[in-house]
Amino acid sequence: MIVSPLNYSGNKAKILKHIIPLFPQDVNVFADIFCGSGIVGLNSPCETLLLNDKEKRILNLLKYFKTNDLDKILFEIANLIQIYDLTDTKSKPKGYYKIYANEGLSKYNKDGFLKLRKDYNEKPNDIKLFVLILYGFNHYLRFNSKNLFNVPVGKMDFSKSLYDKTIEFIKFLQEKNIKFTNLDFRDENLYKTADFFYFDPPYLITNAPYNASWSQKDENDLYEILDFLNSKNKKFAFSNVIFSNGKTNEKLKIWSKKYQICEIKRQYTNANYRRKNLSNAMEVLIKNY
Ligand SMILES: C[S@@+](CC[C@H](N)C(=O)[O-])C[C@H]1O[C@@H](n2cnc3c(N)ncnc32)[C@H](O)[C@@H]1O
């Protein structure tokens, strides 16, 4: 399985091993309609992908990785690390930086990170955003309501393991045949070429930042599209939660009964925010094949 160097909110990294085997094997073009970090489509057994998301910044970053030479990308990252005087544990001898308890490397990186964040927010570009993710708290990608990147400095840096993960991810992305689109899921152009569709929309009843803008109308429109695909004998799989932390998505519970509901059993390894978010949840993959 290939993992993303960034920690995209709501990404499916932890359940890939449960959902990938549930996808059909004989797919020519796989459409990941709410692709986010792209890891579901990228890990599918299909070589030709359509990756779509309404969030332009994540999509542009994926496009940047796909279309630029790996050495150029690594050079640009190293250049920004130098310009903003950020730590570089992978190139320095062990013990070069004193790692402070609870703060990790944040003491060293705070000033440079905040300067980079300011510069990025004034004049956004893909590589600056990626370096902010590398040095930001938990490698999150998050913007406030004014569309400014607002993640604080993290405890870690572009360590050897993150460097290896980044290279592996970029190489993998470059090997696949990918079309990127930045469309709303209702756009009919998304449904013209693929023969399998994966849907991982915001969830109505959990708390990821982008869920706030997801309404019951969006949810209803999505059910209509899924029913339409089904009526045309097109295969789809749809990730969601039927209940979570005392809330139930009643409409989903009823609507999904006409399809196959596969319950996904998540293994929680640490107490992160998603654990709180999804504990006592019934997470499902709903499919029509
Ligand atoms: C649960 S996340 C997808 C996570 C992804 N599967 C991953 O593993 O990284 C939901 C995504 O839906 C996108 N989204 C929200 N509303 C959308 C819309 N109307 N059309 C297309 N994408 C939308 C969000 O930007 C977000 O990236």
Side-chain angles (χ1 to χ4, degrees):
M1 295 280 173
I2 195 80
V3 288
S4 169
L6 56 99
N7 193 353
Y8 194 72
S9 182
N11 77 74
K12 293 292 164 286
K14 291 228 164 66
I15 58 165
L16 278 177
K17 63 175 186 296
H18 301 294
I19 60 178
I20 300 290
L22 297 171
F23 292 155
Q25 291 299 312
D26 54 343
V27 174
N28 294 316
V29 183
F30 182 114
D32 191 347
I33 302 292
F34 299 85
C35 74
S37 64
I39 50 159
V40 178
L42 287 168
N43 279 290
S44 77
C46 190
E47 285 309 309
T48 304
L49 308 174
L50 187 156
L51 296 184
N52 177 70
D53 202 285
K54 205 173 86 169
E55 169 53 65
K56 216 185 238 151
R57 290 159 295 206
I58 182 70
L59 211 68
N60 285 346
L61 197 52
L62 294 174
K63 263 194 232 173
Y64 173 84
F65 289 151
K66 170 81 182 153
T67 51
N68 282 281
D69 181 67
L70 177 61
D71 288 338
K72 174 178 178 266
I73 299 172
L74 294 173
F75 174 79
E76 289 186 350
I77 296 171
N79 199 26
L80 287 175
I81 291 175
Q82 204 180 14
I83 293 173
Y84 289 92
D85 200 17
L86 300 169
T87 59
D88 187 8
T89 48
K90 70 178 176 335
S91 321
K92 297 283 193 279
K94 215 171 178 233
Y96 183 88
Y97 300 102
K98 181 168 164 22
I99 314 275
Y100 296 92
N102 298 324
E103 289 172 298
L105 294 162
S106 62
K107 256 185 195 251
Y108 291 102
N109 289 323
K110 192 167 175 199
D111 291 349
F113 178 87
L114 292 179
K115 169 90 174 75
L116 174 61
R117 196 174 76 176
K118 182 170 174 290
D119 291 352
Y120 168 78
N121 282 329
E122 280 169 13
K123 205 173 168 216
N125 81 21
D126 299 323
I127 195 66
K128 280 189 181 151
L129 177 60
F130 186 56
V131 174
L132 282 172
I133 293 167
L134 293 173
Y135 284 80
F137 184 72
N138 275 352
H139 310 305
Y140 285 148
L141 171 68
R142 198 180 62 208
F143 297 89
N144 64 16
S145 53
K146 291 183 185 143
N147 264 331
L148 299 174
F149 184 87
N150 68 347
V151 176
V153 67
K155 297 178 187 178
M156 295 166 281
D157 74 354
F158 194 32
S159 62
K160 176 77 171 79
S161 67
L162 193 52
Y163 175 83
D164 292 342
K165 209 193 250 187
T166 301
I167 292 180
E168 205 187 343
F169 182 76
I170 294 172
K171 280 188 176 161
F172 200 81
L173 194 75
Q174 294 190 347
E175 277 162 17
K176 296 254 181 181
N177 180 15
I178 307 176
K179 181 174 177 204
F180 295 95
T181 52
N182 177 218
L183 300 171
D184 181 87
F185 72 92
R186 281 160 281 236
D187 195 307
E188 58 189 37
N189 291 311
L190 291 171
Y191 302 98
K192 287 189 172 150
T193 48
D195 53 350
F196 178 71
F197 301 86
Y198 173 64
F199 296 84
D200 183 22
Y203 299 163
L204 265 184
I205 56 171
T206 61
N207 304 320
Y210 45 69
N211 288 1
S213 58
W214 186 256
S215 66
Q216 185 66 56
K217 155 111 177 51
D218 293 319
E219 185 95 357
N220 296 347
D221 290 349
L222 180 54
Y223 298 165
E224 246 180 60
I225 290 173
L226 295 171
D227 287 337
F228 173 76
L229 290 174
N230 188 54
S231 74
K232 298 284 170 206
N233 294 321
K234 300 257 190 190
K235 290 182 184 164
F236 71 75
F238 169 34
S239 285
N240 219 299
V241 288
I242 296 208
F243 60 79
S244 170
N245 283 330
K247 292 187 210 156
T248 300
N249 186 337
E250 296 292 349
K251 189 152 186 195
L252 174 64
K253 193 172 159 188
I254 295 165
W255 172 86
S256 59
K257 284 195 174 133
K258 56 188 155 186
Y259 298 114
Q260 243 200 76
I261 304 172
C262 311
E263 193 169 348
I264 307 296
K265 296 273 181 223
R266 222 179 237 258
Q267 299 287 313
Y268 293 109
T269 49
N270 56 12
N272 60 13
Y273 108 94
R274 257 187 290 117
R275 178 189 173 130
K276 284 186 220 132
N277 198 18
L278 285 174
S279 55
N280 307 315
M282 181 179 173
E283 197 164 8
V284 291
L285 187 84
I286 298 161
K287 56 192 191 73
N288 71 335
Y289 51 94

